[in-house]
Amino acid sequence: MVFLKLAITNLRRHGTRSLLTALGIATSVAVLFSILSFNKGFSKGLARELQRTGIHFMVVPSGCPHEVASLVLHGSVIPKFLNTSVMEKIVSMKDVDFATPILVTQLPNAEKARVDLVYGMEMSRLSAVKPYWEVDGKIPSAVNELMAGSEIASHNNIRKGDLLTYSGVSFKVSGILKKTGSQDDAFIYMPVEALQAILKKPSGATAIGVKVKTPETLAKTTDELAEIVPGIQVVTMNQVMSSISNLAASGKVLSLSIAIITILVSAVGVMNSMLMAVFERTQEIGMMRAIGASRADIFRIILKEAAILTLFGGLSGIAFAVAGSDIIEKFVRKAMPYIPSGSMVDFDPVLAAASLVFVSAVGIISGLYPSWKAAKISPIEAIKG
Amino acid sequence: MIELKGIEKTYLRGSEEVHALKGIDMKISKGEFISIVGPSGSGKTSLLHVLGCLDRPSKGSLLIDGVAVEKMREDELVRIRRKKIGFVFQQFYLMPGLTVFDNIALPLVFSRTAIDKEKIIGAIELLGLKGRIEHYPKQLSGGEMQRVAIARALVNGPEIILADEPTGNLDSENSENIFELLKSLHKNSLTVIMVTHNNDLAARADRTLLLKDGRFPG
Ligand SMILES: Nc1ncnc2c1ncn2[C@@H]1O[C@H](COP(=O)(O)OP(=O)(O)O)[C@@H](O)[C@H]1O
Ligand SMILES: [Mg+2]
């Protein structure tokens, strides 16, 4: 108890220095904890998205493997088209539940002088493909109706009942897709026939989404399909998710390295701060030896100070990270190419504890040298009477 | 009973050897009150450090209660310091962040002894520090700080008090008080060894030793 009191009062004697050192620790823990939380949220979000997608695999023109991931998760426009006639072959397979064409393109919006991302799909399959979507208004039920994602709608002030014109064709906005938090929010959704007509490709599709009757037959079905239909490529949602994970992995490694470096820098701060404290307290340490402290006691007192400093900094860092998680999430959403829908940064006590344990370990390790220095102080050198 | 036989202490200052103690022989009986005087640099502090097992002699033998301590391991020396010895310094050396009570209790923490609150409070009152228990060192006068330091030196129940110029930073009235306090301790059968520059006070000890250039001449 008295050791603890001693450590705390010693830290408070150099309040500003201790506070700055703790702030360094706090910042690095906040960065580490945020990154760990985000990475975990990202993986969880991906898994969640995978779980609730109504499609098991995508059929795309062969030769576009890299675009597939971004296509499925809506980002890029593939310049090659499939012919929807392959759908017949797909649907005729016994394990296939349904197949639905997807057509993604960019369309100029002449009046508004902008280019919109447009997604054509079978509206009747919408609830099967995107079961978690909620629409304010109606899902388009006629070829001259469309639906806008929440982001594109709010940016361009698109409201239910408005008329939008693409390539001379007018569409009525039947509904607005409620915010999903993913890139889905940036698209215009229209019946695939309407988009095919605009592009003058009556049977064109960027991809065909396929659902099998039972997931167990997935591997068999995709193998068979590759044999029956030439010139296509099959990409399962699992593959898509794992290629997104791979894309994200390098980002994770980089961000974690930055966090680790920050922590090491703040550990040097702890070491410096403690060395200064030891140096300033040479006489006091000598006196404590004279009144019965062993070298190990001195070692422990200084180490305890380092531990308290890092633990205090670490706890503050977690608090900062939690308090700032909304800002961090907004920032990361802007910076990352793909983010699954839903909140990313959830407070996870296990990650908080792991971050604290890690930084405490680093802090204690950086306290070892100053503690050893303190323990080595010769009492007779320190107290010259 | 303390016995020193041919104690020498040599320090290294760079490559130069400094002979601080050049062969000290003396016997100190239990309960004696000894004052040590001598010019600055004559080795008084070095002698106290050896006596207090803070430092090992370079040569010679030191017996405390018949046990040779000069060859003991560090942890054994620590145990002797905790059990048998109390140090009092000229600069008091109180911990500024701790209250009077905690300063006095600090040696108990190091010796892993349970803190007897009543006993410490009793000692504080006996030393005229009543009402100062929760004060911090900077709120005390020099005389009060030295009394706290003496209480701290006594808290482990030592046999020997080593005081290095305990009145060096005090005015004459406070010096007198502190001296009387040390003397009263010795009446309670404690051995007190006090280094001082004050010849009047030194003369009032049982025995006064003059240290000159690391030796007791004559
Ligand atoms: N740690 C040390 N290293 C080197 N020389 C020292 C050390 N401590 C004391 N000395 C030297 O030893 C001599 C005796 O010092 P000291 O015991 O402090 O004398 P006093 O207390 O009588 O003034 C002095 O010359 C001093 O400079
Ligand atoms: Mg001296």
Side-chain angles (χ1 to χ4, degrees):
Chain A
M1 245 338 264
V2 179
F3 275 14
L4 196 67
K5 216 191 261 181
L6 208 61
I8 291 170
T9 54
N10 280 334
L11 288 171
R12 284 177 50 183
R13 262 155 81 188
H14 313 287
T16 314
R17 189 170 71 208
S18 303
L19 217 61
L20 286 175
T21 310
L23 197 66
I25 290 283
T27 313
S28 56
V29 174
V31 170
L32 177 70
F33 177 62
S34 300
I35 287 171
L36 289 177
S37 299
F38 184 82
N39 286 350
K40 180 158 183 225
F42 188 88
S43 308
K44 251 169 65 184
L46 270 185
R48 190 173 52 214
E49 202 130 302
L50 179 61
Q51 211 174 31
R52 64 190 181 182
T53 179
I55 288 178
H56 289 118
F57 64 89
M58 290 273 187
V59 175
V60 293
S62 60
C64 307
H66 290 301
E67 285 87 347
V68 174
S70 36
L71 161 78
V72 178
L73 301 147
H74 332 307
S76 80
V77 176
I78 299 181
K80 276 184 168 176
F81 292 95
L82 276 174
N83 192 301
T84 45
S85 61
V86 303
M87 268 179 59
E88 283 162 34
K89 287 184 186 164
I90 298 171
V91 186
S92 68
M93 296 175 73
K94 74 172 180 3
D95 291 316
V96 169
D97 184 1
F98 69 76
T100 184
I102 291 165
L103 186 52
V104 183
T105 193
Q106 294 179 322
L107 284 183
N109 186 325
E111 308 149 58
K112 299 282 159 59
R114 62 167 200 258
V115 176
D116 290 341
L117 290 164
V118 183
Y119 200 101
M121 61 200 303
E122 287 182 316
M123 291 300 160
S124 56
R125 294 288 186 203
L126 188 68
S127 58
V129 175
K130 298 283 188 183
Y132 52 96
W133 273 11
E134 288 176 42
V135 178
D136 176 21
K138 268 184 341 97
I139 292 169
S141 53
V143 284
N144 61 347
E145 287 183 341
L146 58 70
M147 185 166 80
S150 66
E151 195 182 306
I152 187 170
S154 66
H155 270 213
N156 302 295
N157 210 8
I158 301 170
R159 268 177 301 231
K160 254 187 307 186
D162 286 358
L163 281 181
L164 294 182
T165 306
Y166 292 103
S167 306
V169 185
S170 282
F171 291 88
K172 186 172 153 239
V173 179
S174 68
I176 307 288
L177 170 63
K178 286 188 184 162
K179 190 175 163 63
T180 64
S182 71
Q183 274 84 341
D184 289 351
D185 296 341
F187 278 77
I188 295 285
Y189 298 89
M190 64 171 65
V192 68
E193 316 88 272
L195 192 53
Q196 283 168 336
I198 288 174
L199 294 178
K200 303 196 173 62
K201 292 214 182 280
S203 53
T206 319
I208 293 166
V210 182
K211 183 171 188 270
V212 290
K213 285 170 184 155
T214 52
E216 290 73 40
T217 62
L218 184 59
K220 197 174 120 234
T221 309
T222 55
D223 286 351
E224 277 177 30
L225 191 60
E227 280 172 31
I228 307 172
V229 188
I232 59 149
Q233 189 166 0
V234 172
V235 183
T236 64
M237 294 309 279
N238 273 320
Q239 288 167 340
V240 169
M241 293 301 168
S242 74
S243 69
I244 289 173
S245 295
N246 289 343
L247 283 177
S250 58
K252 284 185 190 179
V253 170
L254 181 69
S255 55
L256 270 179
S257 319
I258 291 170
I260 303 284
I261 288 168
T262 336
I263 285 183
L264 292 182
V265 169
S266 56
V268 172
V270 171
M271 190 183 294
N272 178 51
S273 177
M274 294 311 300
L275 275 176
M276 280 172 77
V278 167
F279 180 72
E280 286 163 2
R281 296 212 297 266
T282 304
Q283 286 200 333
E284 220 172 87
I285 289 166
M287 173 279 286
M288 290 197 278
R289 293 286 302 282
I291 66 169
S294 62
R295 285 185 195 278
D297 289 333
I298 301 296
F299 189 90
R300 242 172 268 147
I301 288 173
I302 303 297
L303 199 60
K304 203 162 259 177
E305 271 183 57
I308 290 170
L309 199 60
T310 39
L311 201 62
F312 172 73
L315 284 171
S316 319
I318 301 284
F320 292 163
V322 170
S325 62
D326 283 353
I327 300 168
I328 294 167
E329 177 152 356
K330 274 209 188 88
F331 171 76
V332 179
R333 275 189 184 283
K334 286 228 162 69
M336 297 280 282
Y338 171 75
I339 301 278
S341 51
S343 170
M344 286 295 98
V345 191
D346 285 334
F347 180 75
D348 181 341
V350 176
L351 287 183
S355 306
L356 275 181
V357 166
F358 179 68
V359 77
S360 302
V362 170
I364 287 168
I365 288 169
S366 52
L368 286 176
Y369 177 65
S371 306
W372 176 76
K373 271 283 217 205
K376 248 185 39 172
I377 286 174
S378 151
I380 56 150
E381 297 270 357
I383 40 174
K384 290 199 176 128
Chain B
M1 166 92 164
I2 306 169
E3 193 172 353
L4 292 84
K5 289 186 207 158
I7 291 284
E8 290 182 24
K9 181 71 208 179
T10 308
Y11 298 110
L12 270 181
R13 191 154 39 200
S15 57
E16 179 199 0
E17 290 193 341
V18 181
H19 299 281
L21 300 173
K22 298 176 180 169
I24 303 279
D25 296 287
M26 67 191 270
K27 282 186 184 174
I28 302 163
S29 329
K30 195 170 160 56
E32 224 181 337
F33 187 170
I34 290 181
S35 61
I36 299 175
V37 293
S40 188
S42 57
K44 305 182 294 294
T45 297
S46 303
L47 181 57
L48 278 199
H49 285 169
V50 170
L51 282 170
C53 304
L54 261 187
D55 200 8
R56 286 170 212 272
S58 314
K59 243 189 209 160
S61 158
L62 168 64
L63 298 158
I64 296 180
D65 296 332
V67 183
V69 298
E70 74 276 3
K71 296 220 171 62
M72 281 186 172
R73 287 198 319 267
E74 174 65 26
D75 59 323
E76 293 170 313
L77 291 180
V78 169
R79 217 166 320 131
I80 289 186
R81 282 208 297 275
R82 286 174 184 165
K83 252 175 44 190
K84 302 204 168 179
I85 289 157
F87 268 103
V88 178
F89 311 96
Q90 179 177 356
Q91 297 91 334
F92 323 129
Y93 287 137
L94 300 179
M95 297 291 288
L98 296 184
T99 61
V100 165
F101 183 94
D102 285 336
N103 262 291
I104 294 173
L106 196 54
L108 295 173
V109 178
F110 292 135
S111 65
R112 276 74 177 166
T113 311
I115 295 174
D116 185 340
K117 234 175 154 169
E118 300 303 312
K119 208 170 128 193
I120 293 177
I121 291 171
I124 290 174
E125 289 177 355
L126 215 68
L127 289 170
L129 293 165
K130 203 176 169 186
R132 296 292 201 198
I133 294 175
E134 291 305 319
H135 284 202
Y136 287 90
K138 64 170 182 287
Q139 297 168 290
L140 305 180
S141 73
E144 286 171 325
M145 282 199 262
Q146 198 57 299
R147 271 178 279 163
V148 173
I150 291 172
R152 180 180 66 187
L154 293 171
V155 76
N156 265 325
E159 296 168 14
I160 306 158
I161 293 288
L162 300 170
D164 198 351
E165 301 187 33
T167 63
N169 276 349
L170 301 177
D171 60 29
S172 58
E173 190 187 330
N174 275 308
S175 296
E176 180 64 31
N177 288 339
I178 292 298
F179 181 80
E180 281 303 325
L181 181 56
L182 290 172
K183 230 179 149 186
S184 71
L185 298 178
H186 127 79
K187 287 207 187 88
N188 295 328
S189 81
L190 251 95
T191 307
V192 178
I193 302 168
M194 177 183 78
V195 167
T196 184
H197 278 129
N198 186 324
N199 289 328
D200 296 335
L201 294 182
R204 286 154 64 188
D206 295 343
R207 188 147 62 109
T208 303
L209 299 170
L210 171 68
L211 195 61
K212 248 187 177 165
D213 197 21
R215 287 193 186 91
F216 291 127

